[in-house]
């Protein structure tokens, strides 16, 4: 692995089971998660869900700095399709913390407003229009502060299915978060997406997935949280996402953004933290082995 790729590696608290969704298992403390990252030699991280790190912008920046971690940015679910919801208020507040911490990428999810990721959603024409206008307004607002806002296709959000991802690419100019796992679960082949739209990738969330479990989620036969508990996400190189080819294609395309290692995990007990740390170590080893 080249030094440039090593410099692009980051992690995210979701690999330690830290998630904003309801009923998502044990939530570890920031100190335990960030200590593990430091011990693994990780140099950068996403913030995790709102409330995981201090809300005060200066305190959040100082907390990461205390562990020698650079702030990549973070995942922010925002309702974008509802004409009665103004997404700019939440985004404006969070941008203050991004700026204070020196973060560079705001990873937006088109939140359904349900509070979980268990249902599948599709927008009607009116919602698509509201969504497009709100998304562009958020992207423009973030850009004024030097922050790249990208849209994350995500299971259980308004942009999940292959058809919605394709429409997003065709009807907007926004850059996307290439989440290899969520794309595959939603029915999009992430390798083909990179082959066709590498220039649209603003940040990469690297997950590996067992395709047979992912297919049951796509068909509505298994809930997302249960699929995670059943081992749908696995360390990089152990699933069906063709991670090596995806990284190679991105590097050949001139991609210079972050590769965020993410293996969504649900922890039943605090003792599961050791297994989560081991899984992240395996993913680092795989990327280095490339």
């Amino acid at each position: 692995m080249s030094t440039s790729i090593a410099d692009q590696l980051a992690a995210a608290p979701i690999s330690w089971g830290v998630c904003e969704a309801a009923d998502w298992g044990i939530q570890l403390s920031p100190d335990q998660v960030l200590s593990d990252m430091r011990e693994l030699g990780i140099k950068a991280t996403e913030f995790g869900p709102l409330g995981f790190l201090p809300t005060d912008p200066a305190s959040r920046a100082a907390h990461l700095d205390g562990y020698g971690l650079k702030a990549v940015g973070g995942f922010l679910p925002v309702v974008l399709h509802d004409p009665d919801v103004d997404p700019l208020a939440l985004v404006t507040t969070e941008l203050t913390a991004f700026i204070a911490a020196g973060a560079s990428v705001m990873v937006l999810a088109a939140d359904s407003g349900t509070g979980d990721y268990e249902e599948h959603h599709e927008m009607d024409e009116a919602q698509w229009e509201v969504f497009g206008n709100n998304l562009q307004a958020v992207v423009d607002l973030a850009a004024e502060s030097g922050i790249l806002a990208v849209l994350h296709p995500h299971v259980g959000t308004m942009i999940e299915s292959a058809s919605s991802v394709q429409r997003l690419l065709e009807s907007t100019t926004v850059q996307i978060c290439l989440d290899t796992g969520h794309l595959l679960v939603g029915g999009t082949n992430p390798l083909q997406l990179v082959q066709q739209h590498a220039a649209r990738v603003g940040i990469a969330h690297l997950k590996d997935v067992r395709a047979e479990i992912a297919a049951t989620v796509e068909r509505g036969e298994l809930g997302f949280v249960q699929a995670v508990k059943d081992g749908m996400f696995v360390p990089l190189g152990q699933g069906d996402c063709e991670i090596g080819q995806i990284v190679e294609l991105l590097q050949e395309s001139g991609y210079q953004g972050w590769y965020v290692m993410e293996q969504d995990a649900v922890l039943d007990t605090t003792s599961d933290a050791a297994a989560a740390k081991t899984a992240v170590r395996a993913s680092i080893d795989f990327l280095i082995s490339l």
Side-chain angles (χ1 to χ4, degrees):
M1 173 177 287
S2 68
T3 303
S4 61
I5 296 180
D7 291 340
Q8 292 169 262
L9 289 184
I14 185 67
S15 294
W16 281 262
V18 179
C19 182
E20 71 284 347
D23 302 320
W24 195 274
I26 296 294
Q27 299 296 292
L28 299 178
S29 70
D31 290 335
Q32 181 168 358
V33 173
L34 301 182
S35 293
D36 280 356
M37 289 184 185
R38 182 172 59 187
E39 290 176 17
L40 289 170
I42 294 167
K43 303 298 184 183
T45 182
E46 290 196 352
F47 290 138
L50 295 177
F52 175 64
L53 293 178
T55 302
D56 175 70
S59 299
R60 189 185 305 188
H63 204 87
L64 289 180
D65 189 58
Y67 287 89
L69 290 165
K70 179 179 176 61
V72 172
F75 178 73
L76 185 66
V78 185
V79 175
L80 296 167
H81 67 286
D82 188 339
D84 296 325
V85 175
D86 176 14
L88 296 183
L90 173 60
V91 171
T92 299
T93 299
E94 191 62 8
L95 276 174
T96 305
F98 275 59
I99 296 166
S104 57
V105 186
M106 178 175 282
V107 182
L108 304 166
D111 191 4
S112 67
T114 63
D116 61 43
Y117 299 123
E118 293 302 301
E119 299 178 21
H120 299 293
H121 306 275
E122 293 288 348
M123 291 184 282
D124 60 29
E125 290 301 316
Q127 291 173 326
W128 267 105
E129 182 176 2
V130 173
F131 165 81
N133 291 335
N134 278 336
L135 177 58
Q136 191 60 55
V138 171
V139 169
D140 292 343
L141 179 64
E144 291 174 4
S145 299
I147 306 295
L148 173 65
V150 302
L151 197 285
H152 184 336
H154 192 291
V155 172
T157 69
M158 308 310 290
I159 303 293
E160 172 186 1
S161 66
S163 60
S164 65
V165 172
Q166 188 62 34
R167 181 162 180 174
L168 172 74
L169 291 167
E170 293 174 352
S171 64
T172 78
T173 59
V174 68
Q175 290 189 273
I176 66 167
C177 169
L178 181 85
D179 189 299
T180 54
H182 280 279
L183 285 166
L184 187 65
V185 176
T188 296
N189 183 310
L191 177 59
Q192 290 180 1
L193 190 151
V194 173
Q195 289 170 335
Q196 299 167 5
H197 301 287
R200 295 289 292 275
V201 178
I203 191 170
H205 282 183
L206 298 183
K207 292 181 174 69
D208 218 340
V209 173
R210 292 192 173 105
E212 71 276 9
I213 300 179
T216 64
V217 177
E218 184 185 2
R219 293 193 298 264
E221 298 169 2
L222 187 66
F224 180 65
V225 176
Q226 188 58 51
V228 176
K229 291 180 178 180
D230 289 349
M232 179 168 64
F233 295 109
V234 294
L236 300 182
Q238 297 181 24
D240 301 302
C241 278
E242 302 173 294
I243 297 296
Q245 293 182 61
I246 288 170
V247 171
E248 181 179 358
L249 279 175
L250 283 172
Q251 290 301 106
E252 289 175 354
S253 76
Y255 175 74
Q256 297 182 351
W258 291 104
Y259 291 106
V260 183
M261 295 174 292
E262 281 199 335
Q263 290 76 45
D264 290 12
V266 176
L267 275 57
D268 292 325
T269 68
T270 53
S271 62
D272 293 337
K277 181 180 178 182
T278 298
V280 177
R281 185 187 302 277
S283 293
I284 295 173
D285 291 344
F286 170 77
L287 288 170
I288 292 174
S289 74
L290 296 176

